Amino acid sequence: MRPTNQTKKIIYGLVIVLLFSAMYPYTQWLDRVKDEKDLGEAAIGQVDSGSFMMKLFLLGGFRGIVANYLWIQAEDHKKNHDWDRLKATVDLITKLQPHFLSIWTFQGWNLAYNVSVEWDAPEDKYEWIKQGIKFVQRGVENNQRSPDLIWDTAWFYYHKLGFSDESIILRRLFRDDEDEDFKKYVDPDSGLEVVRNDNFQLGYGWFSRSVKLVDDGGTRLGGGTSENIQYIDPTPQRKGRADDIAFRSMPSHAQTHYAAALEKMSMAGIEATFGEVAKNEWTRALAEWVKFGSHVFQSHNEVIRDGKLVRDEVRLDDATNPERYKTLTENAQYWTDRWASQMNYRYWKERCEAERTSEGVAARQLFYEGTKAYKTGDFSLAAAKFRDGLTIWNENLKGFPTYREDDLNKKDTGLVVKRYVRVLRQLGEPVPDTLPFKDLLAAAEADNTVDPFDAIEMLGVGAGLGEPSSGPPPTTGQPASAPAAPPAGL
């Protein structure tokens, strides 16, 4: 006899009750584990989909397959310029696999770099850069013991806002942004949250946080909110490891670029800052480089000493201290010199020493005022400013031979000389034989790259200097050849 509909309903009801009864102990156990290990939706992944088939796949253990499918969809949305669907799809992937660190980095980069360049208006570019940064910050919230995403957040603030072709406008948009949560970082000294209006300061704060986390024992594979969380994509990278020299140098770079940006119109419509403020920021930059240079690294090789295989301690700052350098073993000298040269440490340290002097700040101010006078057609004033600035700069650099002879500084100073000569030609005056740094003029005039002074005119934003654009961020930290010195002038 075939069962009646009523019998079927009773059987189905009993099956449902049995399923829920069987799931109840598992749910109770899962809740206890979540409480013990501080795991919530932000840690284990939150599935927010109205699709019954999606949930069925996830219950069946096909979370990875679904994530892969969504990743392909995200790429299709990007190709079709369907930005809203792209963002929604990416958000769903992160809910499925919050510890798939590559999705945070890759798609954050996608939003901040690839999507932003599809827009013409700087305001639209800025909004997508901001979306990319906030996306990576959500990754930080889900993976708080991993330094990688903290570093990526810092890099986007530092690089995308600070080195884009439209950086002078983007930095101003960041300054005027009323979203204080977007402009917060944790001060590495006080441990307090602070709000700053400069993207380089945000880069400094987030880079410092990443380095501090490594020093405190945080590692990419150490877990998110729990030590037992295993990341989906074990890293082949060195970024975030305690012995990663380039990774550890980034707070110094960010502070240095902040100090340099003060002494020119690096934000549209915002005048440069000199005097004690500039000197103090250069002093902070110097302190950051000394801190970096004083960190103890271990030599890569082992040598036999007293019958044991040992690694030598290496401090990059020893390369700038001849007396200390002479006391090192031959192996330690080799690694000290090699890594100091690789990071251009001598240049960066001595640059900060030279720039923080009263003479250094005064020279930069004269270069700035000379460029402003040139732009307004006051050639006599411009000539006087450039002449006095070059004279002071020449005397100042006599005490800093490494910085003076460095190619980056020669290019920077040569640019000022070229502008001065332009002014003299406008006045119909000859180039004096006693012109300081006259030997740099030929190379400066032969340089076919666009003068930042002229580049600002092309942007149509008035006087100011931005940073040159640069390529994508390295996967292992700052490259050995760090960003060039900011151009002279405004």
Side-chain angles (χ1 to χ4, degrees):
M1 183 172 111
R2 301 177 64 181
T4 65
N5 288 337
Q6 185 66 25
T7 303
K8 289 181 180 179
K9 291 179 181 179
I10 293 173
I11 292 173
Y12 293 155
L14 290 173
V15 170
I16 292 173
V17 171
L18 289 172
L19 285 174
F20 274 101
S21 299
M23 291 175 61
Y24 181 75
Y26 171 75
T27 303
Q28 294 294 103
W29 170 82
L30 183 59
D31 287 339
R32 288 197 303 271
V33 172
K34 287 164 62 177
D35 291 337
E36 291 172 1
K37 301 187 179 299
D38 188 27
L39 296 177
E41 289 179 339
I44 65 175
Q46 175 186 2
V47 180
D48 182 17
S49 171
S51 168
F52 171 77
M53 291 302 295
M54 178 76 77
K55 293 178 180 178
L56 186 61
F57 267 92
L58 299 181
L59 289 173
F62 291 97
R63 183 175 294 224
I65 295 175
V66 174
N68 287 340
Y69 170 72
L70 292 173
W71 192 298
I72 295 172
Q73 276 197 329
E75 284 299 297
D76 289 339
H77 294 325
K78 184 181 76 172
K79 292 176 183 177
N80 295 329
H81 293 190
D82 194 342
W83 309 126
D84 291 335
R85 288 188 178 181
L86 168 64
K87 189 173 183 302
T89 303
V90 169
D91 286 344
L92 183 54
I93 298 173
T94 62
K95 291 174 181 177
L96 294 174
Q97 294 182 326
H99 302 305
F100 186 17
L101 298 192
S102 295
I103 184 64
W104 298 107
T105 299
F106 181 84
Q107 295 297 356
W109 170 270
N110 216 2
L111 296 172
Y113 283 78
N114 297 332
V115 176
S116 68
V117 298
E118 297 290 339
W119 301 84
D120 294 326
E123 294 80 6
D124 293 328
K125 291 179 185 288
Y126 175 79
E127 188 57 36
W128 281 102
I129 293 170
K130 182 177 179 178
Q131 290 293 329
I133 294 174
K134 285 196 166 187
F135 181 82
V136 178
Q137 288 174 333
R138 281 171 44 208
V140 173
E141 293 172 2
N142 283 279
N143 302 278
Q144 296 181 19
R145 293 297 298 165
S146 169
D148 292 58
L149 296 178
I150 298 175
W151 191 96
D152 291 333
T153 302
W155 180 265
F156 290 178
Y157 278 117
Y158 168 82
H159 180 267
K160 185 57 181 175
L161 290 175
F163 292 89
S164 298
D165 291 335
E166 305 95 337
S167 63
I168 185 172
I169 307 176
L170 295 175
R171 280 171 45 77
R172 176 61 188 268
L173 290 171
F174 179 81
R175 180 183 187 274
D176 294 341
D177 195 332
E178 296 181 356
D179 183 358
E180 288 195 352
D181 286 338
F182 184 56
K183 302 162 80 171
K184 283 182 181 178
Y185 72 85
V186 178
D187 182 81
D189 297 323
S190 66
L192 301 176
E193 281 191 341
V194 294
V195 177
R196 293 290 182 263
N197 290 323
D198 191 285
N199 65 288
F200 288 128
Q201 288 181 300
L202 269 293
Y204 165 77
W206 283 84
F207 280 133
S208 298
R209 175 179 170 183
S210 183
V211 171
K212 186 177 187 301
L213 181 57
V214 171
D215 289 342
D216 290 343
T219 64
R220 188 179 196 269
L221 299 180
T225 55
S226 166
E227 293 181 356
N228 295 325
I229 292 177
Q230 293 298 314
Y231 291 109
I232 294 172
D233 49 339
T235 178
Q237 303 177 12
R238 293 182 59 81
K239 184 173 67 180
R241 296 185 183 180
D243 61 345
D244 188 334
I245 298 178
F247 163 83
R248 189 171 289 276
S249 72
M250 287 312 300
S252 308
H253 281 295
Q255 175 60 31
T256 300
H257 281 285
Y258 172 62
L262 285 176
E263 296 182 317
K264 56 187 179 179
M265 191 180 288
S266 60
M267 296 183 190
I270 304 298
E271 291 290 334
T273 301
F274 300 97
E276 291 302 315
V277 174
K279 290 170 64 175
N280 290 339
E281 295 304 330
W282 278 114
T283 298
R284 287 191 63 188
L286 175 61
E288 287 296 324
W289 282 109
V290 172
K291 178 181 177 181
F292 165 66
S294 300
H295 181 79
V296 178
F297 297 96
Q298 300 293 319
S299 63
H300 281 182
N301 66 326
E302 293 181 325
V303 294
I304 299 177
R305 194 168 293 122
D306 297 329
K308 297 180 180 179
L309 281 174
V310 298
R311 297 182 186 274
D312 283 316
E313 293 186 348
V314 179
R315 298 175 180 83
L316 272 64
D317 197 63
D318 289 343
T320 64
N321 187 332
E323 294 302 318
R324 170 68 182 170
Y325 184 79
K326 287 190 296 186
T327 66
L328 303 178
T329 65
E330 182 178 354
N331 186 59
Q333 286 182 349
Y334 168 80
W335 288 108
T336 299
D337 181 68
R338 174 173 173 171
W339 287 340
S341 298
Q342 174 185 328
M343 299 308 300
N344 211 3
Y345 178 77
R346 301 175 183 87
Y347 162 83
W348 290 110
K349 180 183 178 182
E350 195 163 292
R351 177 185 176 186
C352 294
E353 291 175 332
E355 298 280 5
R356 76 186 185 115
T357 62
S358 298
E359 294 77 12
V361 173
R364 290 297 182 192
Q365 184 168 359
L366 287 166
F367 296 156
Y368 175 81
E369 293 171 350
T371 303
K372 285 186 65 177
Y374 179 24
K375 290 178 67 65
T376 59
D378 192 343
F379 300 125
S380 296
L381 178 60
K385 296 289 185 179
F386 282 135
R387 180 184 63 247
D388 293 346
L390 287 169
T391 299
I392 294 173
W393 190 236
N394 183 43
E395 289 299 314
N396 186 47
L397 290 191
K398 288 179 180 179
F400 305 98
T402 298
Y403 182 37
R404 183 187 186 99
E405 297 302 319
D406 189 274
D407 290 339
L408 294 175
N409 178 60
K410 285 183 176 180
K411 183 175 181 178
D412 179 30
T413 304
L415 187 60
V416 179
V417 175
K418 181 169 72 172
R419 292 177 184 173
Y420 179 39
V421 171
R422 284 184 183 178
V423 171
L424 293 178
R425 288 169 181 165
Q426 290 287 342
L427 294 171
E429 297 181 7
V431 178
D433 294 332
T434 58
L435 171 64
F437 306 104
K438 188 177 181 180
D439 57 311
L440 304 179
L441 179 60
E445 291 185 329
D447 188 352
N448 293 323
T449 58
V450 177
D451 184 339
F453 174 83
D454 298 325
I456 299 305
E457 295 298 320
M458 296 176 188
L459 285 174
V461 296
L465 289 178
E467 289 286 355
S469 61
S470 183
T475 58
T476 57
Q478 186 73 0
S481 55
L490 289 184

